[in-house]
Amino acid sequence: MDYTGKISRQVAGIPRSGIRDFFELVQGRDDVISLGVGEPDFATPWHIREAAIYSLEKGHTSYTSNLGLLSLRKEISRYVGDFFHVDYDPSSEVLITVGVSEAIDLALRALIDPGDEVIYHSPCYVSYLPSISLAYGVGVDVATTKKDDFALKADMLEAAITPKSRVLMLNFPTNPTGAVMPADELEKIAALCIKHDLIVITDEIYSELRYDDGEHLSIAALPGMWERTVLLHGFSKAYSMTGFRLGYACAPAPLIEAMMKIHQYAMLCAPITSQAAALEALKNGDAAMNEMRESYHHRRDFIVKRLNEMGIDCHAPGGAFYVFPDISQTGLSSKDFATQLLEAENVAAVPGDAFGEAGEGFLRCCYATSFDELKVAMNKMERFVGTL
Ligand code: PLP
């Protein structure tokens, strides 16, 4: 059957992810060291896995409330209050979702009408622009640059605002650059959001993975921002729980209610076993999380040092588990560098342009891989760079 014309134009118009294209090249090769996948290399801490097992053992296999287990929402409200210094009522201002992925989709679909503009900073997580398009919005990207350590500049944001702008999406620390926002610039951005009546979707998935200066500041905590912010967070990265598929949204009740309307029909609720595991993560997971963060910190310092030693300019990003070295001085494009590195040395890293045009000339290396593998990968990359 010819399926042309059978698939929604909106879906057909979405390009394939550049990451997917690249990983098709990786598949079928043996012994590849991958710095490609943005996923912790730790198994979920045992006490969290145990909580999932006990939940199943007790026969907790039902649906939960559409919003999610109240016990978990209460714990999320406590955690978000302590960590981000923002208060949400667990009965009406917290929605448990299937990962931050679902929460991004719900927030966009709940907030925008066809043709509304959604501003995001790039290079950015690969799902943002497709999610905006699938919600019939128009994505407007504001490029961040190496010169500013990939932080979003308020003047650049202001230049992108039009009468059609409705939403600003933020993600700090950022996938793929690891960038964090200086507090004074974030304050200027908050002032612009208030001035231009924008709602902010802030994807806080890497917030715990901060190095150096430590304390994380969410835009939701700035004066006047609570009422216009949808705070998204989840368990995938900080607790190494990607396969549990659990996240949440916190926002004023009318916004959560709007997101709930979609969630209840599309998803009904997040899986109960994962919710039981997440409850344990929030109650007793700090020690394991801190240990994993220490380990990432150590690896970040190592990979930044090695890249600079081999003549690849790489700043030390303040968060997440990615470095975004500048490979432009090699004269190769991002794609050519990544492809030739894979072919010559069996090391996979993602071409920066997979995260938007502003990523051209860079490479995303995820250092959430074992220290031994990182060492070998850096030696191989050094040998490859030496041949250019
Ligand atoms: N947001 C960002 C910035 C990410 O990097 C990712 C995953 O890599 C996600 C959201 C998806 O997270 P989840 O596993 O909670 O769906």
Side-chain angles (χ1 to χ4, degrees), residues 45-229:
W46 173 241
H47 66 102
I48 299 175
R49 282 183 271 158
E50 235 174 10
I53 295 166
Y54 292 151
S55 163
L56 283 170
E57 204 174 65
K58 286 185 207 135
H60 295 162
T61 54
S62 59
Y63 294 133
T64 69
S65 125
N66 296 130
L67 286 171
L69 292 171
L70 182 59
S71 53
L72 178 58
R73 283 183 277 139
K74 282 186 177 162
E75 201 54 35
I76 288 170
S77 165
R78 186 224 25 103
Y79 179 82
V80 169
D82 290 349
F83 187 79
F84 294 104
H85 311 296
V86 273
D87 294 322
Y88 294 97
D89 177 351
S91 66
S92 59
E93 294 172 347
V94 179
L95 168 65
I96 296 164
T97 58
V98 179
V100 172
S101 303
E102 190 212 351
I104 292 168
D105 180 51
L106 296 180
L108 286 165
R109 287 206 275 160
L111 289 170
I112 61 177
D113 283 313
D116 285 345
E117 289 178 0
V118 177
I119 304 177
Y120 60 97
H121 51 98
S122 75
C124 70
Y125 180 45
V126 288
S127 91
Y128 288 177
L129 183 56
S131 300
I132 295 166
S133 303
L134 286 170
Y136 296 90
V138 177
V140 176
D141 76 320
V142 177
T144 59
T145 61
K146 180 175 127 185
K147 173 175 71 64
D148 302 318
D149 288 342
F150 295 100
L152 176 61
K153 300 300 285 180
D155 52 349
M156 298 277 286
L157 169 63
E158 185 151 38
I161 296 174
T162 76
K164 288 188 172 174
S165 307
R166 287 282 303 277
V167 169
L168 169 67
M169 293 182 79
L170 295 179
N171 170 227
F172 293 101
T174 308
N175 176 5
T177 60
V180 296
M181 276 300 287
D184 55 343
E185 204 63 31
L186 198 62
E187 280 161 11
K188 287 187 207 160
I189 286 168
L192 284 177
C193 293
I194 293 168
K195 180 174 160 198
H196 295 278
D197 196 20
L198 301 181
I199 298 277
V200 176
I201 299 174
T202 181
D203 176 348
E204 301 280 353
I205 194 159
Y206 295 104
S207 299
E208 286 85 359
L209 303 181
R210 286 287 307 253
Y211 316 111
D212 310 322
D213 59 347
E215 183 82 351
H216 177 72
L217 175 65
S218 168
I219 197 163
L222 293 177
M225 289 308 296
W226 183 91
E227 66 200 54
R228 57 177 67 251
T229 302

